[in-house]
């Protein structure tokens, strides 16, 4: 992204991190710059894996966005959103736990999106709603989502507003991807399968389930789904047919665990986030549609085994 160039990197490095030149990730080739969150901070690496800056938020981070103005939109704890200027100055905040009728309610925020009109979409777990607020924090829209057993931590992981104004929402605990219309009606839904396997507890490769994490609507109308602890990525048609799938042990030498972030590059390759897989496994993987591994990124020093939010700077934003 042009707004996230060398000037910005230098400014944030000067404020946010000292001695970063001594740290580097293990990359298979100099292919992608990376931004990722773990250990309570967001870190930026160049194409060679060198750590450029690290911004300490002292809280778990499940989402961030690099904005067109060069700022970073992210979260601080599971209710507060902050927008950070490249100088390190916080220029905007919004706390769902105290705003727009939520005082005293149990809630968490795991996904949000800055919209083209300047509004911010926020999914409020526990409260059960998708809202849009303006720059002053005023509520301009609210719709209810539908889950079987409301839970402030696991109602929703990723959600995106689609080009048609609908919302594509990953209901983690329900194992279900739902497209909601602008007024809250269900337009399309897909129950993530277990592929004939039994559920197993845990977070690592030994676990298994359908706690879906992420989904993208593709240009062809299909939906690409990161199945979370299903250790897989699947592509599903509007008729709910699985037409492509990548499973835990399909990539030689790589074990998938909790599959989180998703990116689709211009050439059709995918970049997937591999969380909770263990210190010997990469956290980011570029794979072609014929399941050839083209690039890997691994860092268990600055980052660790809980890298749920990660993206290459090729596309400029986390999806």
């Amino acid at each position: 992204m042009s707004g996230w160039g060398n000037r910005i990197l230098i400014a944030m490095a000067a404020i946010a991190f000292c001695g970063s030149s001594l740290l580097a990730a293990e990359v298979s080739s100099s292919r992608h710059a990376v931004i990722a969150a773990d250990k309570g901070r967001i870190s930026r690496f160049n194409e060679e894996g060198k750590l450029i800056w690290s911004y300490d938020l002292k809280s778990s981070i499940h989402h961030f966005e690099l904005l067109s103005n060069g700022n970073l939109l992210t979260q601080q704890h599971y209710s507060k959103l902050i927008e950070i200027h490249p100088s390190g100055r916080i220029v905007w905040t919004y706390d769902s736990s105290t705003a727009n009728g939520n005082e005293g309610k149990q809630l968490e925020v795991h996904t949000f999106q800055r919209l083209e009109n300047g509004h911010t979409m926020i999914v409020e777990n526990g409260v059960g709603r998708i809202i849009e607020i303006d720059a002053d924090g005023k509520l301009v829209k609210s719709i209810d989502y539908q889950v079987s057993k409301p839970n402030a931590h696991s109602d929703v992981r990723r959600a995106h507003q689609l080009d048609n104004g609908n919302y594509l929402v990953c209901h983690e605990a329900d194992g279900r991807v739902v497209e909601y219309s602008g007024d809250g009606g269900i337009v399309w839904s897909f129950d993530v399968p277990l592929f004939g396997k039994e559920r197993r507890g845990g977070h690592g490769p030994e676990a298994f389930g359908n706690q879906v994490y992420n989904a993208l609507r593709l240009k062809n109308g299909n939906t690409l789904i990161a199945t979370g602890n299903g250790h897989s990525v699947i592509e599903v048609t509007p008729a709910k047919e699985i037409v492509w799938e990548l499973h835990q042990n399909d990539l030689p030498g790589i074990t998938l665990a909790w599959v989180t972030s998703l990116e689709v590059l211009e050439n059709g390759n995918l970049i997937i986030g591999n969380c909770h897989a263990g210190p010997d496994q990469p956290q980011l993987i570029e794979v072609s549609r014929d399941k050839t591994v083209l690039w890997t990124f691994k860092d268990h020093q600055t980052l660790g085994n809980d890298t749920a939010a990660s993206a290459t700077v090729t596309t400029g934003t986390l999806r």
Side-chain angles (χ1 to χ4, degrees), residues 75-94:
Q75 61 190 132
Q76 195 168 37
H77 310 295
Y78 283 148
S79 66
K80 184 178 179 182
L81 302 188
I82 60 173
E83 183 177 338
I84 309 170
H85 184 270
S87 67
R89 180 169 52 94
I90 295 175
V91 297
W92 181 83
T93 65
Y94 180 83

Side-chain angles (χ1 to χ4, degrees), residues 114-313:
R114 179 63 50 80
L115 305 178
E116 290 186 2
N117 63 4
H119 294 169
T120 303
M121 181 203 78
I122 305 171
V123 180
E124 295 178 332
N125 284 12
V127 176
R129 65 181 186 175
I130 302 169
I131 66 171
E132 293 181 21
I133 59 170
D134 66 15
D136 296 322
K138 180 182 177 182
L139 185 68
V140 295
K141 185 176 182 178
S142 176
I143 67 168
D144 294 336
Y145 61 73
Q146 300 177 36
V147 291
S148 60
K149 296 179 181 179
N151 184 288
H153 188 67
S154 58
D155 276 359
V156 178
R157 276 297 177 261
R158 287 279 75 77
H160 312 284
Q161 187 182 73
L162 302 175
D163 292 340
N164 62 8
N166 292 350
Y167 305 95
L168 190 64
V169 179
C170 294
H171 291 301
E172 183 185 47
D174 280 356
R176 192 182 190 205
V177 179
V178 179
E179 180 182 346
Y180 293 95
S181 65
D183 60 6
I186 293 179
V187 176
W188 180 85
S189 67
F190 178 79
D191 294 321
V192 176
L194 292 171
F195 297 99
K197 300 179 182 178
E198 297 291 328
R199 296 182 187 273
R200 299 189 301 272
H203 280 82
E206 77 289 345
F208 187 76
N210 62 348
Q211 292 178 247
V212 60
Y213 203 98
N214 204 348
L216 298 179
R217 180 60 47 79
L218 302 177
K219 292 179 180 179
N220 63 7
N222 293 348
T223 303
L224 192 70
I225 300 172
T227 66
N229 66 345
H231 315 310
S232 62
V233 180
I234 57 177
E235 181 180 343
V236 181
T237 68
K240 305 182 184 182
E241 177 188 2
I242 297 175
V243 293
W244 186 86
E245 49 196 297
L246 174 72
H247 291 278
Q248 184 172 44
N249 299 307
D250 285 354
L251 305 177
I254 293 175
T255 300
L256 300 181
W258 213 290
V259 183
T260 56
S261 57
L262 285 175
E263 297 177 60
V264 181
L265 303 183
E266 289 296 325
N267 60 12
N269 293 345
L270 307 179
I271 294 182
I272 62 176
N274 188 27
C275 185
H276 303 315
D280 296 327
Q281 297 298 322
Q283 292 112 323
L284 278 170
I285 305 156
E286 180 183 353
V287 59
S288 66
R289 284 305 190 115
D290 65 2
K291 303 182 184 179
T292 299
V293 175
L294 301 167
W295 171 85
T296 60
F297 171 97
K298 181 171 67 173
D299 181 286
H300 288 274
Q301 184 174 6
T302 302
L303 304 176
N305 201 39
D306 300 324
T307 307
S310 56
T312 67
V313 186

Side-chain angles (χ1 to χ4, degrees), residues 5-20:
N6 289 333
R7 179 185 61 81
I8 294 169
L9 297 179
I10 291 170
M12 289 199 81
I15 288 181
F17 198 86
C18 299
S20 61

